[in-house]
Amino acid sequence: MKPGIHPAYEPVVFRDSASGTVFLTRSTMTSEKTIEWEDGRTYPVVDVEISSASHPFYTGTARVLDTAGRVEKFQRRYGAR
């Protein structure tokens, strides 16, 4: 990689505002706010509205669509042709 053209890739804490979950990862995002992590170090914290901890797809609370009704409607409309 060319030096000096890439953003800094450093540890950052992401805090999910919907569930309160916090996790430490590496990112190019930065923030003026900081948080002290479990290891005693201070990291920038980025607040996000939704993450895998609160998203319906990952938590298993996603709605199930009535696909049988859609198939029956399609059959009624186009099946007899």
Side-chain angles (χ1 to χ4, degrees):
M1 291 189 340
K2 270 187 172 176
I5 64 169
H6 299 285
Y9 187 67
E10 299 174 344
V12 176
V13 174
F14 285 93
R15 180 171 41 203
D16 185 346
S17 59
S19 68
T21 306
V22 292
F23 53 93
L24 177 66
T25 187
R26 293 175 54 96
S27 177
T28 58
M29 293 185 73
T30 59
S31 174
E32 296 295 323
K33 294 189 266 182
T34 59
I35 190 171
E36 187 172 331
W37 194 246
E38 299 160 354
D39 61 2
R41 295 183 180 168
T42 302
Y43 298 104
V45 63
V46 176
D47 292 318
V48 293
E49 293 183 19
I50 196 162
S51 70
S52 61
S54 62
H55 193 279
F57 178 78
Y58 296 108
T59 59
T61 58
R63 293 183 299 147
V64 177
L65 296 176
D66 180 24
T67 56
R70 291 182 180 188
V71 171
E72 291 169 0
K73 185 177 178 180
F74 179 84
Q75 291 295 337
R76 275 187 272 128
R77 189 176 289 174
Y78 302 108
R81 292 182 184 191

